[in-house]
Amino acid sequence: METIRLTTSGAVVRYLAAQRIEVEGQTVPLFAGVFAIFGHGNVTCLGHELEQAGDALPTWRGQNEQGMALAAVAYAKANRRRRIMAATSSIGPGATNMVTAAAVAMANRMPLLLLAGETFNSRVPDPVLQQVEHFGNPTLTVNDAFRPVVRFWDRITSPEQLVHSLPNALATMLDPGDCGPAFISLPQDVQGYAYDFPTRFFTETLHEIRRPRPDTGELRRAAAALAAAERPLIVAGGGVHWSLSEDGLRAFAEQHNIPVVETVAGRTCLVADHPLNCGPIGVTGCTSANAMAAEADVVLAVGTRLGDFVTGSWTVFSGGNDVQIIGLNAARFDATKHRSLPLVADAREGLAELGAVLGAYRAPEEWSDRASSETSQYHAYIDKIAAPETATAAERPTGDSDSDLPTYAQVVGVVDRAADESTYVLAAAGGFPGELVNGWRGQAVHSFDCEYGYSCMGYEISGGWGAKMALPDREVVVLVGDGSYLMMNSDLYSTVLTCHKLIVIVCDNGGYAVINRLQMAQGGVPFNNLIADSRVRDATAVDFAAHAASMGCEAETVNTIAELEAAYGRARAADRTYVIAINTHAYRWTEGGSFWEVGVPEVSASADVRAARAEMDAGKADQRVGW
C-alpha cells in the first residue's frame, strides 16, 4: 500500500482540499476555505499546514471566532448547502466562542466544519493555558460543550483516527436528512504527530448529495389524502431551497392548483407575484397565509421543521380535527411531527413522484380564488405601511413625540422598491424578521436569508460577509438593528479587508425594541430593553456611521425615508461596504401574524399581567395537540 507521511494537521488539510462537488455544471472545491483565528492551540501545527496549502485551501482571517463561524453558516446557506467553509480556533475561549455559531448551524440544518484546538493528549503539561480542569474527570474539556450543538463530534487522540473520522464528518454534513455541523477536537500534541497515511485517502473525490425517493406505501397514503382535499395548502420550507426544488414546487403547485405559503427559511421559494404565493405563514407571517392555513383541510409541509413561528405554536392549522398534515421531508424526525403522514424523501423527487400519482387532481377554483383575494389584501397592506408616508397626522398615535420617525416597514420598503434580481437580503433576530419576512417581495427565488432557526443576534453582519463570499456577483443587503450591531460588528472590517462589499442599513430604535414590545404585550412595563428604560447614567447616543467609517467603510447617517432612498443609491454605486444609519420608531410594527405561546406568570400583583395570562390561556385552547 502506497503511503505518505504527514502530521495530523497536514492530513486534515490535504483531505479537505481533495474534496470536490459539482455546482451548476462546474466542478469546484467542496471546502471553499477556512476561517481562522490562531492561538497557541492551533497556530504552530494546523496554522503551518494551512499556510503551506495556500490557494488549495484558502485561509481567511476572522475578527471574532463566533463571527467567522457565523459567516461560514451564511456561506453554506447562500450556496444552498452545496459548499462548506471550515472554521478553526485555538483552545479555551477561542473554541467556546464558536459554540453559539454551531448551534445556529444545528438549528438551521447547515453544514459547518469546526476544528478546535485542545489541551494535550499526554496531559504532561497540564494544566495548560486556558484549560478548564474537572477534578473528577480529566478527559473532560470545554470542547465537550459542543456535543449538544453538533451532529458529529470527535476528539482525535491518534493520527490514524482521521481515516475514519473525516469521512464520517463529511457524510454527516452532506446528508440531506441529518445535515448539520461537524466538530473535530485536535489536541495540541496530536496535531503534530506523524503517521504513514494511505495515499488513496487523499485522492480527489467528487461528491453528489443523495436524493432519497419516497417509499411506495408512504407515497400512496400521502397521495390519497391530498386527492381527497377540498382546501389543500402547501407550506414551503427551507428544504425546498436546499434540494434545489423551487422549479419543482412551482410546477407541482401549478399542476394541481394548490396555494403556497412560505416559512421564514422558505421565503422566495416562489417569486412574490406568483398567483399561488400567499405569502409568509405564522407569527411573523401575514393575514393571507394565516387565513388560508386556518381553513386548510390537508397541509403538505415540504422541507420544514414546523417550528413554533411557522405553526403559531400549533394554532394556525385550525381547520378542525380532520386537518391532515403530510410531512414531505428528507429527515424522518421532521416528517412525522404531530402525527403527520410521513413522506420521507428529497423535496424535488418527492414532489415529482407525488405529482405523478396525483395525476389530474386539481384543487377547486374557489379555493385558489380565495387565495388570490386574500393575498391581494396582504400586498395592499404592505404597500401602504411601506410607503414613504404611512399615516396622516390624524392617524398617528396621540402623544407620540416620535411619530414622524421612519418605521422598519418603510426601511424595508426602500430596499424592496429598489431591488432587482441580483439583490440578496439578509437579517436575523430582533424586529427585522417580522418586517422583512412580510415586506420583502422577492423578484427572484433564493434572494433571502433571515436567520430565525436560532434567532441569533449578531448574525447579520458576519452572515453578510459569508453570503457575499458565496455570491460575489449579487448585491448583498444587510438589515440590522442597533442592538445586534452593538453585539457583533467587527466583520464590517473583514468585508473591507477582503473586498466583499455589503450594503448595511442600521436601524437605531434605542435598544432591544422588539423584546420591549413583547414585554409590554404580555402585561409588563418597559424595563431593561430600551436604553431609556435601563439602568444608565448617561444615555450617550452611538454614532453608528462614524463607528463604521473608523473600520474603513463608507458611511452616513440619514433622517428620513427620502434621504435613505438617496443614500441607498450612493451605496449601490460604492466600491466598498457602505453603512447607512437611520433612527427608527420603537413602537410601530407590522400587524398580522398569529398566536405565539410564551411563558406568562400564573400569579402576579399586576392586573395587566393577569389579563395577559388569561389571554394566553385562551389562545392555547386552539392548539393542535397530538391530532
Side-chain angles (χ1 to χ4, degrees):
M1 182 177 65
E2 184 179 355
T3 62
I4 180 170
R5 191 160 182 82
L6 297 169
T7 65
T8 300
S9 296
V12 169
V13 170
R14 185 168 293 210
Y15 179 83
L16 298 183
Q19 310 310 308
R20 296 288 185 271
I21 195 167
E22 187 176 293
V23 176
E24 297 181 350
Q26 292 188 326
T27 299
V28 297
L30 174 62
F31 290 93
V34 179
F35 289 110
I37 294 179
F38 292 129
H40 67 281
N42 65 342
V43 67
T44 55
C45 292
L46 187 59
H48 168 69
E49 296 293 347
L50 288 170
E51 182 272 326
Q52 293 288 298
D55 290 341
L57 188 65
T59 299
W60 298 91
R61 180 187 181 279
Q63 315 304 325
N64 173 287
E65 291 89 355
Q66 179 179 324
M68 69 184 189
L70 289 174
V73 175
Y75 181 91
K77 269 194 179 186
N79 275 294
R80 294 191 274 187
R81 301 202 308 199
R82 259 56 190 176
R83 300 191 74 189
I84 305 170
M85 292 288 279
T88 180
S89 77
S90 186
I91 75 170
T96 54
N97 276 351
M98 298 194 297
V99 171
T100 294
V104 170
M106 183 78 162
N108 287 277
R109 318 291 170 84
M110 284 294 122
L112 167 66
L113 178 61
L114 298 169
L115 304 168
E118 176 68 279
T119 57
F120 282 82
N121 193 52
S122 70
R123 304 184 195 166
V124 172
D126 286 6
V128 299
L129 180 65
Q130 299 178 335
Q131 179 175 356
V132 174
E133 295 179 277
H134 288 263
F135 305 154
N137 185 353
T139 69
L140 196 64
T141 76
V142 296
N143 284 356
D144 289 275
F146 284 91
R147 291 179 186 267
V149 291
V150 296
R151 292 279 188 217
F152 179 91
W153 189 98
D154 198 5
R155 175 180 285 121
I156 302 302
T157 58
S158 186
E160 60 267 36
Q161 293 171 351
L162 291 177
V163 177
H164 177 272
S165 185
L166 285 174
N168 275 283
L170 185 56
T172 300
M173 290 184 283
L174 293 180
D175 188 278
D178 288 340
C179 182
F183 175 84
I184 296 180
S185 181
L186 297 169
Q188 294 179 65
D189 47 354
V190 176
Q191 285 185 46
Y193 290 174
Y195 179 72
D196 294 320
F197 287 91
T199 303
R200 63 191 179 195
F201 183 60
F202 306 106
T203 302
E204 187 172 293
T205 304
L206 181 64
H207 296 273
E208 184 175 354
I209 296 176
R210 184 185 302 109
R211 289 189 177 275
R213 271 65 174 179
D215 172 78
T216 56
E218 291 184 351
L219 183 66
R220 182 177 66 254
R221 288 186 287 273
L226 198 53
E230 296 181 0
R231 301 179 304 280
L233 185 70
I234 297 171
V235 178
V240 175
H241 291 306
W242 320 145
S243 68
L244 312 182
S245 58
E246 295 95 340
D247 288 344
L249 171 72
R250 176 180 48 78
F252 183 90
E254 291 174 350
Q255 177 184 357
H256 303 294
N257 196 39
I258 302 177
V260 178
V261 298
E262 296 175 331
T263 72
V264 175
R267 286 297 270 142
T268 67
C269 284
L270 295 178
V271 293
D273 61 1
H274 190 284
L276 289 171
N277 188 347
C278 297
I281 187 175
V283 180
T284 53
C286 61
T287 54
S288 55
N290 290 332
M292 298 299 291
E295 295 191 23
D297 57 359
V298 175
V299 174
L300 177 60
V302 184
T304 170
R305 64 182 192 143
L306 293 174
D308 66 338
F309 260 61
V310 172
T311 66
S313 300
W314 289 101
T315 63
V316 298
F317 305 123
S318 54
N321 289 346
D322 293 332
V323 63
Q324 177 64 66
I325 297 175
I326 301 169
L328 171 51
N329 206 294
R332 174 202 56 78
F333 183 83
D334 292 321
T336 57
K337 284 177 177 173
H338 277 247
R339 296 189 64 202
S340 297
L341 281 177
L343 187 58
V344 181
D346 170 76
R348 191 185 73 180
E349 303 307 317
L351 285 170
E353 294 196 25
L354 183 59
V357 175
L358 278 175
Y361 167 81
R362 285 177 61 82
E365 294 297 330
E366 295 83 357
W367 180 238
S368 56
D369 289 345
R370 169 70 187 280
S372 178
S373 175
E374 291 284 352
T375 306
S376 65
Q377 295 177 54
Y378 150 62
H379 284 296
Y381 170 67
I382 295 298
D383 288 340
K384 178 181 177 182
I385 66 170
E389 293 294 335
T390 63
T392 66
E395 293 173 322
R396 291 174 184 149
T398 57
D400 183 358
S401 60
D402 295 329
S403 61
D404 289 327
L405 285 176
T407 64
Y408 269 26
Q410 288 176 297
V411 171
V412 172
V414 170
V415 182
D416 185 51
R417 291 189 295 273
D420 56 29
E421 291 188 355
S422 73
T423 309
Y424 185 90
V425 297
L426 186 145
F432 269 120
E435 304 295 327
L436 193 58
V437 164
N438 276 284
W440 176 248
R441 272 82 64 86
Q443 301 177 37
V445 298
H446 186 48
S447 61
F448 181 85
D449 175 8
C450 181
E451 195 293 290
Y452 220 48
Y454 203 57
S455 184
C456 181
M457 295 182 72
Y459 173 87
E460 298 91 338
I461 292 170
S462 298
W465 182 31
K468 185 64 176 182
M469 281 185 164
L471 305 170
D473 297 327
R474 297 185 72 169
E475 191 78 83
V476 177
V477 183
V478 172
L479 296 110
V480 59
D482 54 311
S484 282
Y485 182 100
L486 290 172
M487 281 193 177
M488 193 171 298
N489 53 62
S490 58
D491 280 325
L492 285 175
Y493 186 50
S494 300
T495 69
V496 173
L497 289 175
T498 60
C499 299
H500 291 107
K501 178 218 168 178
L502 306 177
I503 296 175
V504 180
I505 301 176
V506 184
C507 289
D508 183 359
N509 53 27
Y512 308 136
V514 77
I515 292 301
N516 182 64
R517 176 193 186 193
L518 175 63
Q519 187 175 51
M520 295 174 64
Q522 301 306 323
V525 297
F527 172 65
N528 201 50
N529 287 314
L530 297 184
I531 293 171
D533 301 318
S534 59
R535 194 183 298 273
V536 296
R537 293 185 177 182
D538 180 8
T540 302
V542 176
D543 189 335
F544 292 101
H547 182 266
S550 75
M551 290 188 282
C553 303
E554 293 191 41
E556 63 178 294
T557 299
V558 300
N559 297 300
T560 67
I561 292 300
E563 291 177 359
L564 176 60
E565 288 175 330
Y568 189 77
R570 292 188 288 273
R572 295 185 75 174
D575 63 356
R576 65 173 56 201
T577 293
Y578 201 107
V579 176
I580 308 169
I582 184 171
N583 287 333
T584 50
H585 205 291
Y587 289 94
R588 289 167 62 189
W589 304 95
T590 298
E591 299 299 328
S594 68
F595 172 82
W596 183 38
E597 183 178 356
V598 294
V600 182
E602 284 194 281
V603 295
S604 172
S606 167
D608 290 338
V609 171
R610 294 196 300 273
R613 176 67 196 208
E615 187 175 347
M616 183 64 62
D617 289 342
K620 285 170 58 66
D622 293 328
Q623 283 182 318
R624 172 190 173 97
V625 181
W627 49 263

